[in-house]
Amino acid sequence: QVTLVESGGGSVQAGGSLKVSCKAPRLITSTFRMYEKAWYRQAPGKQRELVAAISRDDEARYADFVKGRFTISRDNSRKTVSLQMNGLKPEDTAVYYCNLRNQGLDSWGQGTQVTVSS
């Protein structure tokens, strides 16, 4: 298990922007690079779903429902993965979790609330 510390999130009106970030303070940079990184979200009463992911080769992929609005990025030197969320919609309201995966093992952040009002 990797310790992950999330920050950001909050409340915004529809059409607004938020950014969530996740840091792995106890990993060394070279190890952080090896992880696949992703953001998931879970809305009340729903299953956790993949929002965006970025591979070790920096290939990003997105769920259809966020394409063109969200951007995942990573800063290996800061051991941080972030999710910039633009054009937020009320249906984006959820707890957002960062995820690091290596050799089939998952580590999760504590979750951060994102609330979008109409």
Side-chain angles (χ1 to χ4, degrees):
Q1 277 284 347
V2 175
T3 300
L4 298 174
V5 180
E6 296 186 27
S7 60
S11 298
V12 68
Q13 289 191 327
S17 298
L18 286 172
K19 184 176 182 179
V20 289
S21 295
C22 174
K23 186 168 185 176
R26 297 180 183 174
L27 288 182
I28 61 174
T29 300
S30 58
T31 303
F32 181 79
R33 288 177 180 272
M34 298 303 296
Y35 281 82
E36 295 189 352
K37 306 157 185 74
W39 285 94
Y40 288 73
R41 70 185 187 187
Q42 188 166 17
K46 295 187 177 181
Q47 289 190 332
R48 191 171 296 189
E49 59 186 359
L50 177 67
V51 176
I54 186 165
S55 72
R56 288 172 284 186
D57 299 322
D58 290 337
E59 291 185 5
R61 67 183 193 274
Y62 298 91
D64 287 343
F65 51 78
V66 302
K67 280 182 180 177
R69 299 188 297 125
F70 291 12
T71 302
I72 189 170
S73 63
R74 89 306 170 261
D75 184 335
N76 290 329
S77 65
R78 295 177 183 266
K79 299 174 288 183
T80 299
V81 56
S82 298
L83 185 69
Q84 176 66 45
M85 302 178 287
N86 300 327
L88 282 160
K89 305 175 182 179
E91 52 264 42
D92 294 319
T93 295
V95 177
Y96 284 70
Y97 297 90
C98 65
N99 169 270
L100 263 59
R101 175 175 293 176
N102 189 30
Q103 298 182 345
L105 296 178
D106 286 312
S107 296
W108 296 92
Q110 80 275 16
T112 185
Q113 179 70 44
V114 170
T115 303
V116 185
S117 57
S118 56

Coordinates of all heavy atoms in Angstrom, one line a residue, residues 7-83:
S7 N -5.9 16.4 -2.4 CA -6.2 17.8 -2.0 C -7.1 18.4 -3.2 O -7.1 17.8 -4.3 CB -5.0 18.6 -1.8 OG -4.2 18.7 -3.0
G8 N -7.7 19.5 -2.9 CA -8.5 20.2 -3.9 C -10.0 19.8 -3.7 O -10.4 19.4 -2.6
G9 N -10.7 19.8 -4.8 CA -12.1 19.6 -4.7 C -12.9 20.8 -4.2 O -12.4 21.9 -4.1
G10 N -14.1 20.5 -3.7 CA -14.9 21.6 -3.2 C -16.2 21.7 -3.9 O -16.7 20.7 -4.5
S11 N -16.8 22.9 -3.8 CA -18.1 23.1 -4.4 C -18.0 24.2 -5.5 O -17.3 25.2 -5.3 CB -19.1 23.5 -3.3 OG -19.3 22.5 -2.4
V12 N -18.8 24.0 -6.5 CA -18.8 25.0 -7.6 C -20.1 24.9 -8.4 O -20.8 23.9 -8.3 CB -17.6 24.7 -8.6 CG1 -17.9 23.4 -9.3 CG2 -17.4 25.8 -9.6
Q13 N -20.5 26.0 -9.0 CA -21.7 26.0 -9.8 C -21.4 25.3 -11.2 O -20.3 25.3 -11.7 CB -22.2 27.4 -10.1 CG -22.8 28.0 -8.8 CD -23.5 29.3 -9.1 OE1 -23.1 30.1 -10.0 NE2 -24.5 29.6 -8.3
A14 N -22.5 24.9 -11.8 CA -22.4 24.2 -13.1 C -21.6 25.1 -14.1 O -21.9 26.3 -14.1 CB -23.7 23.9 -13.6
G15 N -20.7 24.5 -14.8 CA -19.9 25.3 -15.8 C -18.6 25.7 -15.2 O -17.7 26.2 -16.0
G16 N -18.4 25.6 -13.9 CA -17.2 26.0 -13.3 C -16.1 25.0 -13.4 O -16.2 23.9 -14.0
S17 N -15.0 25.3 -12.7 CA -13.8 24.4 -12.8 C -13.3 24.1 -11.4 O -13.4 24.9 -10.5 CB -12.7 25.1 -13.6 OG -13.1 25.3 -14.9
L18 N -12.7 22.9 -11.2 CA -12.0 22.5 -10.0 C -10.8 21.7 -10.4 O -10.8 21.1 -11.5 CB -13.0 21.8 -9.1 CG -14.1 22.5 -8.3 CD1 -15.0 21.5 -7.7 CD2 -13.5 23.5 -7.3
K19 N -9.9 21.6 -9.5 CA -8.8 20.7 -9.7 C -8.6 19.9 -8.4 O -8.6 20.4 -7.3 CB -7.5 21.5 -9.9 CG -6.3 20.7 -10.3 CD -5.1 21.6 -10.6 CE -3.9 20.8 -11.0 NZ -2.7 21.7 -11.4
V20 N -8.3 18.6 -8.6 CA -8.0 17.7 -7.5 C -6.6 17.2 -7.8 O -6.2 16.9 -8.9 CB -9.0 16.6 -7.3 CG1 -10.3 17.1 -6.8 CG2 -9.2 15.8 -8.6
S21 N -5.8 17.0 -6.7 CA -4.5 16.5 -6.8 C -4.2 15.5 -5.8 O -4.9 15.4 -4.8 CB -3.5 17.7 -6.6 OG -3.6 18.7 -7.6
C22 N -3.2 14.7 -6.1 CA -2.9 13.5 -5.2 C -1.4 13.4 -5.2 O -0.8 13.3 -6.3 CB -3.6 12.3 -5.8 SG -3.2 10.7 -5.0
K23 N -0.9 13.3 -4.0 CA 0.6 13.2 -3.8 C 0.9 11.9 -3.1 O 0.2 11.5 -2.2 CB 1.1 14.4 -3.1 CG 2.6 14.4 -3.0 CD 3.1 15.8 -2.5 CE 4.6 15.8 -2.5 NZ 5.2 17.2 -2.1
A24 N 2.1 11.3 -3.5 CA 2.6 10.1 -2.9 C 3.9 10.5 -2.2 O 5.0 10.3 -2.7 CB 2.8 9.0 -3.9
P25 N 3.7 11.0 -1.0 CA 4.9 11.6 -0.3 C 6.0 10.7 0.1 O 7.2 11.1 0.2 CB 4.3 12.3 0.9 CG 3.0 11.5 1.2 CD 2.5 11.1 -0.1
R26 N 5.7 9.4 0.2 CA 6.7 8.5 0.7 C 7.4 7.7 -0.4 O 8.3 6.9 -0.1 CB 6.1 7.5 1.7 CG 5.5 8.2 3.0 CD 4.9 7.2 3.9 NE 4.4 7.9 5.1 CZ 3.7 7.3 6.0 NH1 3.4 6.0 6.0 NH2 3.2 8.0 7.1
L27 N 6.9 7.9 -1.6 CA 7.6 7.2 -2.8 C 8.8 8.0 -3.2 O 8.7 9.3 -3.2 CB 6.6 7.0 -3.9 CG 5.5 6.0 -3.8 CD1 4.7 6.0 -5.1 CD2 6.1 4.6 -3.5
I28 N 9.8 7.4 -3.7 CA 10.8 8.1 -4.4 C 10.4 8.3 -5.9 O 9.5 7.6 -6.4 CB 12.2 7.4 -4.3 CG1 12.1 6.0 -5.0 CG2 12.6 7.2 -2.9 CD1 13.4 5.2 -5.0
T29 N 11.0 9.3 -6.5 CA 10.5 9.7 -7.8 C 10.6 8.5 -8.8 O 9.6 8.3 -9.6 CB 11.4 10.9 -8.3 OG1 11.2 12.0 -7.4 CG2 10.9 11.3 -9.7
S30 N 11.6 7.8 -8.8 CA 11.8 6.7 -9.8 C 10.7 5.6 -9.6 O 10.3 5.0 -10.6 CB 13.2 6.1 -9.7 OG 13.4 5.6 -8.4
T31 N 10.3 5.4 -8.4 CA 9.3 4.4 -8.1 C 7.9 5.0 -8.6 O 7.1 4.3 -9.2 CB 9.2 4.0 -6.7 OG1 10.5 3.5 -6.3 CG2 8.2 3.0 -6.4
F32 N 7.7 6.3 -8.3 CA 6.4 6.9 -8.7 C 6.2 6.8 -10.2 O 5.1 6.6 -10.6 CB 6.4 8.4 -8.2 CG 5.1 9.1 -8.5 CD1 4.0 9.0 -7.7 CD2 5.1 10.0 -9.6 CE1 2.9 9.7 -8.0 CE2 3.9 10.7 -9.9 CZ 2.8 10.5 -9.1
R33 N 7.3 6.9 -10.9 CA 7.2 6.9 -12.4 C 6.6 5.5 -12.9 O 6.0 5.5 -13.9 CB 8.5 7.0 -13.0 CG 9.1 8.4 -13.0 CD 10.5 8.4 -13.6 NE 11.1 9.7 -13.5 CZ 11.0 10.6 -14.5 NH1 10.3 10.3 -15.6 NH2 11.6 11.8 -14.4
M34 N 6.8 4.5 -12.1 CA 6.5 3.2 -12.6 C 5.0 2.8 -12.4 O 4.5 1.9 -13.0 CB 7.3 2.1 -11.8 CG 8.8 2.2 -12.0 SD 9.2 2.1 -13.8 CE 8.7 0.5 -14.1
Y35 N 4.3 3.7 -11.6 CA 2.9 3.4 -11.4 C 2.0 3.9 -12.5 O 2.3 5.0 -13.0 CB 2.5 4.0 -10.1 CG 2.9 3.3 -8.8 CD1 4.2 3.4 -8.3 CD2 2.0 2.4 -8.2 CE1 4.6 2.7 -7.2 CE2 2.4 1.7 -7.1 CZ 3.7 1.9 -6.6 OH 4.1 1.2 -5.5
E36 N 1.0 3.2 -12.8 CA -0.1 3.7 -13.6 C -1.0 4.5 -12.6 O -1.2 4.1 -11.5 CB -0.9 2.6 -14.2 CG -0.1 1.8 -15.3 CD -0.9 0.9 -16.1 OE1 -2.1 0.7 -15.7 OE2 -0.4 0.3 -17.0
K37 N -1.5 5.6 -13.1 CA -2.2 6.5 -12.2 C -3.6 6.8 -12.8 O -3.8 6.9 -14.0 CB -1.4 7.8 -12.1 CG 0.0 7.6 -11.6 CD 1.0 8.7 -12.0 CE 2.4 8.4 -11.7 NZ 3.0 7.5 -12.6
A38 N -4.5 7.0 -11.9 CA -5.9 7.1 -12.3 C -6.7 7.9 -11.3 O -6.3 8.0 -10.1 CB -6.5 5.8 -12.6
W39 N -7.8 8.4 -11.8 CA -8.8 9.0 -10.9 C -10.1 8.3 -11.1 O -10.5 8.0 -12.3 CB -9.0 10.5 -11.3 CG -7.9 11.4 -10.8 CD1 -6.8 11.8 -11.4 CD2 -7.8 11.9 -9.5 NE1 -6.0 12.5 -10.6 CE2 -6.6 12.6 -9.4 CE3 -8.6 11.9 -8.3 CZ2 -6.2 13.3 -8.3 CZ3 -8.2 12.5 -7.2 CH2 -7.0 13.2 -7.2
Y40 N -10.8 7.9 -10.0 CA -12.1 7.3 -10.0 C -13.0 8.2 -9.3 O -12.6 9.1 -8.6 CB -12.1 6.0 -9.3 CG -11.4 4.9 -10.1 CD1 -10.0 4.8 -10.2 CD2 -12.1 3.8 -10.7 CE1 -9.3 3.8 -10.9 CE2 -11.5 2.8 -11.3 CZ -10.1 2.8 -11.5 OH -9.5 1.7 -12.1
R41 N -14.3 8.0 -9.4 CA -15.3 8.7 -8.6 C -16.4 7.8 -8.2 O -16.7 6.8 -8.9 CB -15.8 9.9 -9.4 CG -16.7 9.6 -10.6 CD -17.1 10.9 -11.3 NE -18.1 10.6 -12.3 CZ -18.5 11.6 -13.2 NH1 -17.9 12.8 -13.2 NH2 -19.4 11.3 -14.1
Q42 N -17.1 8.2 -7.1 CA -18.2 7.4 -6.7 C -19.3 8.4 -6.2 O -19.0 9.1 -5.2 CB -17.8 6.4 -5.6 CG -18.9 5.5 -5.1 CD -18.4 4.3 -4.3 OE1 -17.3 4.4 -3.7 NE2 -19.2 3.3 -4.2
A43 N -20.4 8.3 -6.8 CA -21.5 9.1 -6.4 C -22.4 8.3 -5.5 O -22.3 7.1 -5.5 CB -22.4 9.5 -7.7
P44 N -23.2 9.0 -4.6 CA -24.1 8.2 -3.7 C -24.9 7.2 -4.4 O -25.6 7.5 -5.4 CB -24.9 9.4 -3.1 CG -24.1 10.6 -3.2 CD -23.3 10.4 -4.5
G45 N -24.9 6.0 -3.9 CA -25.7 4.9 -4.4 C -25.2 4.3 -5.7 O -25.9 3.5 -6.3
K46 N -24.1 4.8 -6.1 CA -23.5 4.2 -7.4 C -22.2 3.6 -7.2 O -21.5 3.8 -6.2 CB -23.4 5.4 -8.4 CG -24.7 6.0 -8.9 CD -24.5 6.9 -10.0 CE -25.8 7.5 -10.5 NZ -25.6 8.4 -11.7
Q47 N -21.8 2.8 -8.1 CA -20.5 2.1 -8.1 C -19.4 3.1 -8.4 O -19.6 4.0 -9.1 CB -20.5 0.9 -9.0 CG -21.3 -0.3 -8.6 CD -21.1 -1.5 -9.4 OE1 -20.7 -1.4 -10.6 NE2 -21.3 -2.7 -8.8
R48 N -18.2 2.8 -7.9 CA -17.0 3.6 -8.3 C -16.7 3.4 -9.7 O -16.8 2.2 -10.2 CB -15.8 3.2 -7.4 CG -14.6 4.1 -7.5 CD -13.6 3.7 -6.5 NE -14.1 3.9 -5.1 CZ -13.3 3.8 -4.0 NH1 -12.0 3.5 -4.2 NH2 -13.8 3.9 -2.8
E49 N -16.4 4.5 -10.4 CA -16.2 4.4 -11.9 C -14.9 5.1 -12.2 O -14.5 6.1 -11.6 CB -17.3 4.9 -12.7 CG -17.7 6.4 -12.4 CD -18.9 6.9 -13.1 OE1 -19.6 6.1 -13.8 OE2 -19.3 8.1 -12.9
L50 N -14.2 4.6 -13.3 CA -13.0 5.2 -13.8 C -13.4 6.5 -14.5 O -14.3 6.6 -15.3 CB -12.3 4.3 -14.7 CG -11.0 4.8 -15.4 CD1 -9.9 5.0 -14.4 CD2 -10.6 3.9 -16.5
V51 N -12.6 7.6 -14.1 CA -12.8 8.9 -14.8 C -11.7 9.1 -15.8 O -11.9 9.5 -17.0 CB -12.8 10.0 -13.7 CG1 -12.8 11.4 -14.4 CG2 -13.9 9.8 -12.7
A52 N -10.4 8.9 -15.4 CA -9.3 9.2 -16.3 C -8.1 8.4 -15.8 O -8.0 8.1 -14.6 CB -9.0 10.6 -16.4
A53 N -7.2 8.0 -16.7 CA -6.0 7.3 -16.3 C -4.9 7.8 -17.2 O -5.1 8.2 -18.3 CB -6.2 5.8 -16.4
I54 N -3.7 7.6 -16.6 CA -2.5 8.0 -17.4 C -1.4 6.9 -17.2 O -1.2 6.5 -16.0 CB -1.9 9.4 -17.0 CG1 -0.8 9.8 -17.9 CG2 -1.6 9.5 -15.6 CD1 -0.5 11.2 -17.9
S55 N -0.9 6.3 -18.2 CA 0.0 5.2 -18.1 C 1.4 5.7 -17.8 O 1.7 6.9 -17.8 CB 0.0 4.4 -19.5 OG 0.7 5.2 -20.4
R56 N 2.3 4.7 -17.6 CA 3.7 5.0 -17.4 C 4.3 5.7 -18.6 O 5.3 6.4 -18.5 CB 4.5 3.7 -17.1 CG 4.2 3.1 -15.7 CD 4.8 1.8 -15.5 NE 4.0 0.8 -16.2 CZ 4.3 -0.5 -16.1 NH1 5.3 -0.9 -15.4 NH2 3.6 -1.4 -16.8
D57 N 3.8 5.5 -19.8 CA 4.2 6.1 -21.0 C 3.5 7.4 -21.3 O 3.6 7.9 -22.4 CB 4.1 5.1 -22.2 CG 4.9 3.9 -22.0 OD1 6.0 4.0 -21.4 OD2 4.4 2.8 -22.3
D58 N 2.8 7.9 -20.3 CA 2.0 9.2 -20.4 C 0.9 9.1 -21.4 O 0.6 10.2 -22.0 CB 3.0 10.3 -20.7 CG 3.9 10.6 -19.5 OD1 3.5 10.3 -18.4 OD2 5.0 11.2 -19.7
E59 N 0.4 8.0 -21.6 CA -0.8 7.9 -22.5 C -2.0 8.1 -21.6 O -2.2 7.3 -20.6 CB -0.9 6.6 -23.2 CG 0.2 6.5 -24.3 CD 0.1 5.2 -25.1 OE1 -0.9 4.4 -24.9 OE2 1.0 4.9 -25.9
A60 N -2.9 9.1 -21.9 CA -4.0 9.3 -21.1 C -5.3 8.8 -21.8 O -5.4 8.7 -23.0 CB -4.2 10.8 -20.9
R61 N -6.2 8.3 -21.0 CA -7.5 7.9 -21.5 C -8.5 8.4 -20.6 O -8.3 8.6 -19.4 CB -7.6 6.4 -21.7 CG -7.5 5.6 -20.4 CD -7.5 4.1 -20.8 NE -7.8 3.2 -19.6 CZ -6.9 2.8 -18.8 NH1 -5.6 3.2 -19.0 NH2 -7.2 2.1 -17.7
Y62 N -9.7 8.6 -21.1 CA -10.8 9.2 -20.4 C -12.1 8.5 -20.6 O -12.4 7.9 -21.6 CB -11.0 10.7 -20.9 CG -9.8 11.5 -20.6 CD1 -8.8 11.7 -21.6 CD2 -9.6 12.2 -19.4 CE1 -7.7 12.5 -21.4 CE2 -8.5 13.0 -19.2 CZ -7.6 13.1 -20.2 OH -6.5 13.9 -20.0
A63 N -12.9 8.5 -19.6 CA -14.3 8.0 -19.7 C -15.0 9.0 -20.7 O -14.8 10.2 -20.7 CB -15.0 8.0 -18.4
D64 N -15.9 8.4 -21.4 CA -16.7 9.2 -22.4 C -17.3 10.4 -21.8 O -17.4 11.5 -22.4 CB -17.7 8.3 -23.2 CG -17.1 7.4 -24.1 OD1 -15.9 7.6 -24.5 OD2 -17.7 6.4 -24.5
F65 N -17.8 10.2 -20.6 CA -18.6 11.3 -20.0 C -17.8 12.5 -19.5 O -18.3 13.5 -19.1 CB -19.5 10.8 -18.8 CG -18.7 10.0 -17.8 CD1 -17.9 10.6 -16.8 CD2 -18.8 8.6 -17.8 CE1 -17.2 9.9 -15.9 CE2 -18.1 7.9 -16.8 CZ -17.3 8.5 -15.9
V66 N -16.4 12.4 -19.6 CA -15.6 13.6 -19.3 C -14.7 14.0 -20.4 O -14.0 15.0 -20.3 CB -14.7 13.3 -18.0 CG1 -15.6 13.0 -16.8 CG2 -13.7 12.3 -18.3
K67 N -14.7 13.3 -21.5 CA -13.8 13.7 -22.6 C -14.1 15.1 -23.1 O -15.2 15.6 -23.2 CB -14.1 12.7 -23.8 CG -13.4 11.4 -23.7 CD -13.6 10.5 -24.9 CE -12.9 9.2 -24.7 NZ -13.2 8.3 -25.9
G68 N -13.0 15.8 -23.2 CA -13.1 17.2 -23.6 C -13.3 18.2 -22.5 O -13.2 19.4 -22.7
R69 N -13.5 17.7 -21.3 CA -13.8 18.6 -20.2 C -12.7 18.4 -19.1 O -12.3 19.4 -18.4 CB -15.1 18.3 -19.5 CG -16.3 18.5 -20.5 CD -17.6 18.4 -19.8 NE -17.9 17.1 -19.2 CZ -18.2 16.9 -17.9 NH1 -18.2 17.9 -17.1 NH2 -18.4 15.6 -17.5
F70 N -12.2 17.2 -18.9 CA -11.3 16.9 -17.8 C -9.9 16.6 -18.4 O -9.8 16.0 -19.5 CB -11.7 15.7 -17.0 CG -12.9 15.9 -16.1 CD1 -13.7 17.0 -16.3 CD2 -13.3 14.9 -15.2 CE1 -14.9 17.2 -15.5 CE2 -14.4 15.1 -14.4 CZ -15.2 16.2 -14.5
T71 N -8.9 16.9 -17.7 CA -7.5 16.6 -18.1 C -6.7 16.0 -16.9 O -6.6 16.6 -15.9 CB -6.8 17.8 -18.6 OG1 -7.5 18.4 -19.7 CG2 -5.4 17.5 -19.1
I72 N -6.1 14.8 -17.2 CA -5.3 14.2 -16.2 C -3.8 14.5 -16.5 O -3.4 14.6 -17.6 CB -5.5 12.7 -16.1 CG1 -4.8 12.1 -14.9 CG2 -5.1 12.0 -17.4 CD1 -5.1 10.6 -14.6
S73 N -3.1 14.8 -15.4 CA -1.7 15.1 -15.6 C -0.9 14.6 -14.5 O -1.4 14.3 -13.4 CB -1.4 16.6 -15.8 OG -1.8 17.3 -14.6
R74 N 0.4 14.4 -14.7 CA 1.3 14.0 -13.6 C 2.6 14.8 -13.6 O 3.0 15.2 -14.6 CB 1.5 12.5 -13.7 CG 2.7 11.9 -14.5 CD 2.8 12.3 -15.8 NE 4.0 12.0 -16.6 CZ 5.0 12.9 -16.8 NH1 5.0 14.0 -16.2 NH2 5.9 12.6 -17.7
D75 N 3.1 14.9 -12.4 CA 4.4 15.6 -12.2 C 5.2 14.6 -11.4 O 5.1 14.5 -10.2 CB 4.2 16.9 -11.5 CG 5.5 17.7 -11.4 OD1 6.6 17.1 -11.4 OD2 5.4 18.9 -11.2
N76 N 6.1 13.9 -12.1 CA 6.9 12.9 -11.4 C 7.8 13.5 -10.4 O 8.0 12.9 -9.4 CB 7.7 12.1 -12.5 CG 6.8 11.2 -13.3 OD1 5.7 10.7 -12.8 ND2 7.2 11.0 -14.5
S77 N 8.4 14.7 -10.7 CA 9.3 15.3 -9.7 C 8.6 15.6 -8.4 O 9.2 15.6 -7.4 CB 10.0 16.5 -10.4 OG 9.0 17.5 -10.6
R78 N 7.3 15.9 -8.5 CA 6.5 16.3 -7.3 C 5.7 15.1 -6.8 O 5.0 15.2 -5.8 CB 5.6 17.4 -7.6 CG 6.3 18.7 -7.9 CD 5.3 19.8 -8.3 NE 6.0 21.1 -8.7 CZ 6.2 22.1 -7.8 NH1 5.9 22.0 -6.6 NH2 6.8 23.1 -8.3
K79 N 5.8 14.0 -7.5 CA 5.1 12.7 -7.2 C 3.6 13.0 -7.0 O 3.0 12.6 -6.0 CB 5.7 12.1 -5.9 CG 7.2 11.8 -6.0 CD 7.8 11.3 -4.7 CE 8.0 12.5 -3.8 NZ 8.7 12.1 -2.5
T80 N 3.1 13.7 -8.0 CA 1.7 14.2 -7.9 C 1.0 13.9 -9.2 O 1.6 14.0 -10.3 CB 1.7 15.7 -7.7 OG1 2.3 16.0 -6.5 CG2 0.3 16.2 -7.7
V81 N -0.2 13.4 -9.1 CA -1.1 13.3 -10.2 C -2.3 14.2 -10.0 O -2.8 14.2 -8.9 CB -1.5 11.8 -10.5 CG1 -2.2 11.2 -9.2 CG2 -2.4 11.7 -11.7
S82 N -2.8 14.9 -11.0 CA -3.9 15.8 -10.9 C -4.9 15.6 -11.9 O -4.7 15.0 -12.9 CB -3.3 17.3 -11.0 OG -2.3 17.5 -10.0
L83 N -6.1 16.1 -11.6 CA -7.2 16.1 -12.5 C -7.8 17.5 -12.6 O -8.4 18.0 -11.6 CB -8.3 15.1 -12.0 CG -9.4 14.8 -13.0 CD1 -9.0 14.1 -14.2 CD2 -10.6 14.1 -12.3

